Structure formats: structure tokens, C-alpha cells
Amino acid sequence: LEEELRAFHKYCAKSESLKEDELMPTSFEDLDSYIAYLRDTVKLPAMDVQLNGGAQFRRLMYEVEVFTRFAGLGKKLEPVDVIQARGSGLRECTWQDVITQLMMQTAPTRMRTKTKYVGERLKFFFAEQKEATVEFMLGLQGSPEEHMYSRRIPKEAQVIERNDTMKRCIFQAFDDACDRHKSRFMQMWCDFMDSMFQSPLMLLKSGSMPSIGDDFDEEKAPTFETTKARIEKERRGRGTLQSALREKVKQIPDDDVKANDSVKMVERIIEQTFAVIRSVVADHMQLYSESFFLLPMLRRLEGVM
């Protein structure tokens, strides 16, 4: 993974696809400290193993999930920001509307930066598979798995390897397909995040999976009454964080004289809400990377080529 990250940083510096501040989480000074964190603190699986294909993609998903969790708002609220968000008083503006408006000013931009990094990492991963694929095709002849593939594959690989013009055209078509799918991935992912930040408090429903107990009560077949009680308990538990934040919103003073107190309370609520949204985005990173990039890429690649 260290070699992969260093090659990715060189690629970004050459292509100028990402700026220097977009390549690193704000908590790290340089790439070496980030790699050391992945190896020693996160203990990322297969960190020092040479991988390719699906296993490398899984490791990539681990890395971009860690990268996304370092997203921060990066801006302190001022009393004037809160007063301006409250409006002129010509229309009623609740504190929930103020929080949504303030989050929309900076939060989507911060998350888009992380999304841009993920999109470039996915594009770089697929672009690096070209030579490995040709090597795989060339190595099929005489291998134990030769009978599992068409006999034409090694022959076609030899033709590609001999003809530089043909090889360059095939690789260029593949790179163009990667670039188009990266743009579609970015658009769908940004639309998804914009919809999340439009109503952030609706996303604060926590999971309701029960914890594993020490006894064998969960091994018993549930009755109708216990099922009803479990569903009711889970429904109540899902809105715990949302209800707690709504109570905090109600405690924010409306008087402009207490603007400093209001700013501190609003800032705490925004940070807590953003932390939950950031966790949701990071948790769903693999799902959306496969749904918005990997599967459309594999499905349309044959027609493109």
C-alpha cells in the first residue's frame, strides 16, 4: 500500500488532478506520517502485502474509509454568522433552519474534497490494472488454470504486446472509460451528500441492532409478544440521538444579546451532526463505490472497448 500511495501522489502531482491539501488529511504533515498511522494505529489489513485485483480493491476501500473519517468543518462560527442566518425577522426562522443553513455553507464542500480523493483513487486503481491484465493474459499459456479460459486470450495478448499502436489505443480507450465513470461517480455522490445536508437531523437515527448477551435467551424462538416488545424498543431507540439534539436546539436562546451563548450551542450541535454524517458517508463508502463506480464500469466496459 505504501508503494501504491506514493505512486498515486506522484500521479496527482504530474496530472494536477488533486491539490496538495486535498491529498492529505489535515491531521498529518506529510505522506510518511499518514502511512505510519495506517500501519501502526489503524493496522490496515494487508498493508505490506503485494496485492492486485479484487484484494487490492478491498484494501483501497479500507484506506479511503480512514481518509474520509478525517473530514472536518475547518471553520469557527462567529456571532455575526448566526445573526445573519437568523434573518431580518420578516419571516419566522427556527434554529433548526439556521443549523441547516450554516451546515450547507461549509460541510458539503469539505465532504466533496474527500469524495474527489476517493474518485481519483478509484480511477488510479483501475488505470493501474492495464499492464497487470496483459501480464495475466500472457501467463495463461501453460499454467494450471489455462483450461478455464479461452485459448484466444494468450494469442490476443501476444498481438497486443507486439503492436505498440494497438496497445496504446486500447489503453487510451480504457483510460477514457475510467475518466467518464469517475465523473459520473462524483456527480451521483455529490447529489447524495447534498440531499443529506438538506435535512441533516433526519440522518441522526442510530442503529438498533441488539447487543449479544451472555445467556442463551436470544437463542429461543421469539413469541408474538416478545417480537412486539422488541420492535417497539428498537423504534424508540432509533430516534435517541435525534431527540437529544432536538432538545438541545430548543434550549438555544433566541435573544440577540445572548448571541455568544447561541453561537457556542449551535457550533456544538453542528459539529455533532457533521460527525454523524461523516460516519454515515465513511460507512457507506464501499457500498457507493461499488454501486456508482465499480458495477457501472464493469457493465459498460465491454461496449466501450
Side-chain angles (χ1 to χ4, degrees), residues 101-112:
Q101 185 177 344
L102 291 172
M103 285 196 69
M104 287 296 294
Q105 290 177 3
T106 57
T109 306
R110 291 287 174 176
M111 293 307 299
R112 278 196 188 97

Side-chain angles (χ1 to χ4, degrees), residues 45-46 50-62 125:
Q50 290 187 352
L51 298 177
N52 196 29
Q56 185 184 0
F57 183 81
R58 287 288 173 266
R59 186 177 63 184
L60 165 66
M61 289 294 99
Y62 280 119
F125 163 77

Side-chain angles (χ1 to χ4, degrees), residues 136-147 150-151 154 158:
F136 167 76
M137 294 166 66
L138 287 170
L140 273 180
Q141 194 167 11
S143 65
E145 59 267 17
E146 180 181 9
H147 67 282
S150 170
R151 294 180 180 178
Q158 292 170 5

Side-chain angles (χ1 to χ4, degrees), residues 211-267:
S211 58
I212 299 176
D214 296 330
D215 52 12
F216 293 95
D217 288 341
E218 61 267 14
E219 302 296 333
K220 298 177 183 176
T223 63
F224 181 67
E225 294 300 326
T226 57
T227 301
K228 283 201 302 183
R230 177 182 60 80
I231 293 174
E232 184 178 352
K233 180 180 178 181
E234 289 185 7
R235 294 284 294 176
R236 282 199 307 267
R238 287 183 182 180
T240 303
L241 179 58
Q242 188 178 21
S243 302
L245 281 179
R246 289 190 188 279
E247 289 298 322
K248 290 182 180 180
V249 170
K250 292 177 183 178
Q251 296 172 9
I252 300 175
D254 292 326
D255 195 349
D256 288 342
V257 178
K258 299 181 179 179
N260 289 329
D261 297 333
S262 301
V263 168
K264 292 178 182 177
M265 297 178 72
V266 168
E267 193 168 15

Side-chain angles (χ1 to χ4, degrees), residues 7 17 19 60 84-85 103 122 157 159-160 170 179 198 237 279 281 291 298:
S17 54
K19 299 177 183 177
L60 165 66
Q84 288 177 350
M103 285 196 69
L122 287 168
V159 174
I160 294 173
I170 292 174
D179 195 52
Q198 287 290 343
S279 297
V281 171
S291 302
L298 297 178

